[in-house]
C-alpha cells in the first residue's frame, strides 16, 4: 500500500489530470484564494488542459465561490462544499460574543436588519466596503453601522454574513475587494442541520485526504473552522461503518470505507511535481504532518515557499527567477530525479507561456 499515491490521484497530481476547474477544486475540497497567482497555479497544475485565467472565469460565472472560511482567510470552493463548510463554521456562534460585536461595531439586535438590508443593497451587483458603508449611511435604522462597515474591524461584521450564506466575495474592483449576494440565503441553521453539514464535511475531507489521522481532521475542522473537538468526535461516531480505521506505518488513520480497497491496493510510481505556495496538498492535512514534509522544513511550507514533491513528500523549494526555475533541495542534490524535474519545469513553462530553464541551488 502507498496511501499517498492514492491521495495524489485524488488530487489530480498524477494521471491525466482533472477535467475542469470545478473538478480540481472539488477534489481538494477548498483552496486558499490568496495569493491569487498561487491559487491560479494550484488549479492549472492539476488541470489536463491548463489555463491560468480559468479559475477567475469560474469565479465570475459563479460555478465556484470565494468566501471567508479557515482561520479567517478567504478560500475557494464549489457552492455545495461552501454551504456545508460555512454552515459548520457557524457552530461557534462567535458573532454573539461581546468581544466580536465590539470588534465589528454592531450589536446582536442589528443582525437581522443588516442581513435584510444587504440583500437589497447588493441586488445591483458587487460593492466595495466603502460603497456598502455609503449605502448603510442612507438607511436611518442602520446608519450607525456605516463606520463599522468600513473600519478596522469591518471583517468581524462581514465574516458571519459569509458563514450564513448572505454574501461572498465578488470580482475585485481595482485593488479593493468586493462583496456580492451569495449563491443562497438561509435562515438560522438548526443544530440538526449543522450536524448534517459537519458529517458531509468529514466525508468530503476523507474522500480527498485519506488516510487521515484524527489530528489532521482536528486541524481542518477544529483549528480551521472552530468546531469543538467533542462535536467533531460525535460526527465521526455518527458516521459509524461509513468510516474505517486502517494502519499506516503504525499510525491509526481514517478513511471512507468505500475507498479502503483502492487505498490498500495503491502502489508507488515515479513522479515529481512543483507545487505553489500554500497548496492544499499541505494545507489540507496541515504542515505538521511529517509524512508530507520533514519537521525541520515545516516553516518553509507554513511561510509560503513553493515546494517540490516526490512521491507526495516535499524534497525541495523552488522559485521562478527571470527565465529560470531555481530548485533548492533539502538534502544534497545527488539523489534528485533530474529528468523528472526537467520535465516538470517544462510543464510549468507551458502553463506560464514562457521559456524556463532549470537551475539547481545545491
Amino acid at each position: 500500500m502507498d496511501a499517498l499515491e492514492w491521495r495524489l490521484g485524488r488530487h489530480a497530481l498524477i494521471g491525466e489530470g482533472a477535467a475542469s476547474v470545478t473538478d480540481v477544486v472539488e477534489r481538494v475540497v477548498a483552496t486558499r484564494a490568496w495569493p491569487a497567482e498561487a491559487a491560479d497555479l494550484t488549479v492549472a497544475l492539476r488541470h489536463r488542459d491548463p489555463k491560468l485565467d480559468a479559475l477567475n472565469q469560474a469565479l465570475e460565472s459563479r460555478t465556484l465561490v470565494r468566501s471567508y472560511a479557515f482561520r479567517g482567510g478567504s478560500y475557494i470552493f464549489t457552492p455545495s462544499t461552501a454551504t456545508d463548510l460555512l454552515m459548520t463554521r457557524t457552530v461557534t456562534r462567535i458573532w454573539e460574543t461581546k468581544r466580536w460585536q465590539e470588534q465589528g461595531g454592531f450589536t446582536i439586535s442589528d443582525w437581522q436588519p443588516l442581513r435584510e438590508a444587504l440583500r437589497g443593497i447588493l441586488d445591483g451587483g458587487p460593492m466595495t466596503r466603502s460603497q456598502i458603508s455609503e449605502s448603510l449611511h442612507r438607511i436611518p435604522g442602520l446608519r450607525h453601522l456605516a463606520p463599522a462597515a468600513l473600519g478596522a474591524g469591518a471583517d468581524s461584521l462581514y465574516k458571519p454574513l459569509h458563514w450564513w450564506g448572505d454574501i461572498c466575495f465578488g470580482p475585485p474592483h481595482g485593488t479593493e475587494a468586493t462583496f456580492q449576494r451569495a449563491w443562497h440565503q438561509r435562515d438560522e441553521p438548526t443544530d440538526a442541520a449543522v450536524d448534517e453539514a459537519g458529517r458531509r464535511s468529514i466525508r468530503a475531507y476523507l474522500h480527498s485526504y485519506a488516510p487521515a489521522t484524527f489530528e489532521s481532521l482536528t486541524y481542518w475542522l477544529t483549528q480551521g473552522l472552530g468546531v469543538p473537538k467533542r462535536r467533531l468526535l460525535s460526527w465521526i461516531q455518527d458516521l459509524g461503518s461509513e468510516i474505517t480505521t486502517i494502519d499506516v506505518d503504525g499510525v491509526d488513520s481514517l478513511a471512507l470505507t468505500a475507498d479502503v480497497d483502492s487505498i490498500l491496493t495503491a502502489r508507488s510510481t515515479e513522479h515529481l511535481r512543483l507545487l505553489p505556495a500554500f497548496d492544499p496538498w499541505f494545507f489540507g492535512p496541515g504542515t505538521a504532518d511529517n509524512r508530507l514534509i520533514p519537521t525541520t522544513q515545516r516553516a518553509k511550507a507554513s511561510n509560503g515557499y513553493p515546494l517540490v514533491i516526490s512521491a507526495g513528500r516535499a524534497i525541495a523549494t523552488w522559485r521562478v527567477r527571470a527565465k529560470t526555475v531555481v530548485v533548492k533541495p533539502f538534502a544534497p542534490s545527488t539523489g534528485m530525479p533530474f529528468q523528472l524535474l526537467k520535465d516538470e519545469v517544462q510543464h510549468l513553462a507551458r502553463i506560464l507561456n514562457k521559456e524556463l530553464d532549470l537551475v539547481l541551488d545545491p
Side-chain angles (χ1 to χ4, degrees), residues 1 5 21 30 54 66 73 116 151 201 249 295 325 354 356:
M1 175 184 72
E5 187 82 3
V21 174
R66 182 164 68 97
E116 294 170 0
S201 296
D249 299 326
T295 302
V325 174
K354 63 189 296 185
L356 292 172

Side-chain angles (χ1 to χ4, degrees), residues 221-337:
L221 290 174
T222 298
Q223 294 180 42
L225 297 179
V227 176
K229 192 176 292 187
R230 64 184 181 279
R231 193 83 171 258
L232 174 57
L233 282 167
S234 74
W235 294 341
I236 294 172
Q237 292 167 357
D238 290 344
L239 289 169
S241 62
E242 289 188 53
I243 294 178
T244 294
T245 300
I246 59 179
D247 182 286
V248 180
D249 299 326
V251 177
D252 284 346
S253 302
L254 306 176
L256 293 180
T257 303
D259 291 332
V260 167
D261 286 347
S262 56
I263 292 171
L264 294 178
T265 56
R267 295 294 179 265
S268 301
T269 57
E270 193 175 24
H271 48 76
L272 179 148
R273 300 305 306 265
L274 302 178
L275 298 183
F278 306 113
D279 192 88
W281 180 255
F282 295 100
F283 280 80
T287 59
D289 189 340
N290 59 17
R291 294 177 298 179
L292 302 181
I293 186 166
T295 302
T296 55
Q297 305 294 336
R298 178 187 176 187
K300 289 183 170 63
S302 300
N303 292 329
Y305 280 68
L307 296 169
V308 182
I309 61 169
S310 177
R313 298 168 178 86
I315 60 170
T317 63
W318 67 275
R319 69 186 189 277
V320 176
R321 188 175 63 192
K323 292 187 177 181
T324 61
V325 174
V326 181
V327 174
K328 186 174 181 61
F330 295 158
S333 60
T334 51
M336 181 73 65

